[in-house]
Amino acid sequence: MIGRRFGGTRLMRVSAGIVAAALVSGCAAGGTSPASSAAPASSPPVPVKPQQKAGPPGVLPRPGEVKAITPAGSVLPVISSIPTTRKVVFLTIDDGWEQDPGFVRQVREQRIPITAFVMRDAVEALGAPDPAGGVGKYVGRGKWSYFRQLRDAGVPIENHTLTHPDLRTLGYDAQKAEICGSSKLIREHIGTRPTLFRPPFGNYGAGTLRAAKACGVEALLLWTATVQPGGKIAYQVPDKRLRPGDILLLHFRPNLARDFRILVDKIRRRGYELGNLDAYLKAALRRAK
Ligand SMILES: [Zn+2]
């Protein structure tokens, strides 16, 4: 595993309003039933393997390239994009319903940098996946072992709650149970402790930030654009273009491997590289201290 800490994050302490961000289509809930689920329910923890010789995937920040992420009004930094002028974007993938082995091979063989935000009910296929992606062939196929394979391919496995609630509807204790419970589970099954948290639907409040911090989270990670089935990018900005430092959100949906190929080609055709989010965050947060 690449170095996962940003260093002692005493960082941010600000005052701005912590408003619930209503970002486009985090992830929907309910809908069609899972097509299949065959694997055993859970597997014992597996120690983290030493990371491969080639170093972390994706481009790394140049000295001085990344600006500090400045405190934005909370006990934790809330990040939607990385402050850089280099043509680099970051890929993040949420939930974890569809567990296509072909996607792991793609990530490993092409050394594509991604960060996964997993939630228990998707990983363990405890409910019905987001219907937006169509019927999946691999829903819950690998469960946590699938994410251990991604971990071994250099993918940080981060926190996206246990049950994918709208956290604005929950009190502090319930939010903390969702976030700490997820971190504990990831620690048990993956062997690493999440340092990033992505609130379902992008919805959060002041209590969410306090709860996340109490659970060992060092930053809330939002996004600037979502990627739809077919690799189409849905921007949250009016000019509908990729911008340096954008964080793109995908989901573990059917046809992810195909959509991913289309997306990566598109990003590269536009002259962008794929960045290593962990390394860029470390640079941005270190500079803020
Ligand atoms: Zn989600």
Side-chain angles (χ1 to χ4, degrees):
M1 206 76 249
I2 50 183
R4 301 276 16 266
R5 288 293 88 71
F6 315 132
T9 35
R10 219 96 303 158
L11 329 158
M12 317 303 163
R13 170 157 317 143
V14 211
S15 58
I18 303 116
V19 189
L23 294 174
V24 171
S25 105
C27 344
T32 58
S33 58
S36 58
S37 60
S42 66
S43 1
V46 169
V48 180
K49 290 183 188 166
Q51 192 54 37
Q52 69 280 79
K53 12 35 187 156
V59 299
L60 302 176
R62 302 179 178 117
E65 174 198 331
V66 187
K67 293 201 189 71
I69 290 177
T70 51
S74 64
V75 295
L76 283 181
V78 177
I79 298 166
S80 307
S81 64
I82 299 294
T84 177
T85 53
R86 183 176 180 177
K87 290 183 82 174
V88 60
V89 296
F90 303 89
L91 302 179
T92 63
I93 312 192
D94 281 14
D95 298 350
W97 292 106
E98 178 77 353
Q99 298 162 7
D100 178 356
F103 180 66
V104 178
R105 279 197 299 277
Q106 191 177 14
V107 167
R108 184 173 51 230
E109 286 166 12
Q110 298 178 27
R111 294 181 47 73
I112 295 175
I114 63 172
T115 302
F117 289 86
V118 302
M119 65 112 170
R120 179 200 60 196
D121 286 2
V123 172
E124 300 184 5
L126 297 177
D130 173 1
V135 178
K137 280 193 291 194
Y138 303 102
V139 173
R141 278 296 178 84
K143 298 197 167 60
W144 290 102
S145 70
Y146 184 78
F147 294 91
R148 283 194 289 274
Q149 290 173 43
L150 282 174
R151 172 201 72 192
D152 292 342
V155 178
I157 307 298
E158 301 289 0
N159 188 328
H160 192 46
T161 73
L162 295 171
T163 69
H164 212 272
D166 179 348
L167 293 171
R168 290 176 307 180
T169 67
L170 301 182
Y172 176 81
D173 289 344
Q175 294 191 62
K176 195 172 162 203
E178 282 280 347
I179 302 169
C180 285
S182 170
S183 283
K184 182 166 178 284
L185 208 57
I186 290 169
R187 181 76 184 254
E188 286 169 7
H189 287 283
I190 304 295
T192 54
R193 184 174 66 86
T195 55
L196 300 176
F197 174 63
R198 173 168 279 162
F201 317 104
N203 292 342
Y204 66 96
T208 312
L209 296 167
R210 284 191 292 115
K213 183 167 181 150
C215 300
V217 167
E218 298 179 6
L220 241 73
L221 205 83
L222 302 177
W223 60 92
T224 38
T226 57
V227 180
Q228 307 301 323
K232 181 174 165 39
I233 303 174
Y235 298 93
Q236 317 235 358
V237 291
D239 60 2
K240 309 285 178 210
R241 294 169 50 192
L242 278 182
R243 301 201 239 197
D246 272 355
I247 296 171
L248 305 185
L249 163 63
L250 295 88
H251 291 93
F252 286 93
R253 283 177 173 156
N255 302 313
L256 178 59
R258 181 204 64 192
D259 291 353
F260 208 70
R261 255 193 314 277
I262 297 170
L263 174 71
V264 169
D265 284 351
K266 188 183 290 184
I267 289 170
R268 290 185 170 144
R269 272 203 313 276
R270 293 179 188 181
Y272 280 80
E273 297 177 285
L274 299 174
N276 185 284
L277 180 63
D278 190 50
Y280 270 80
L281 282 172
K282 271 204 190 85
L285 294 173
R286 190 181 297 127
R287 294 198 76 187
K289 280 200 263 187

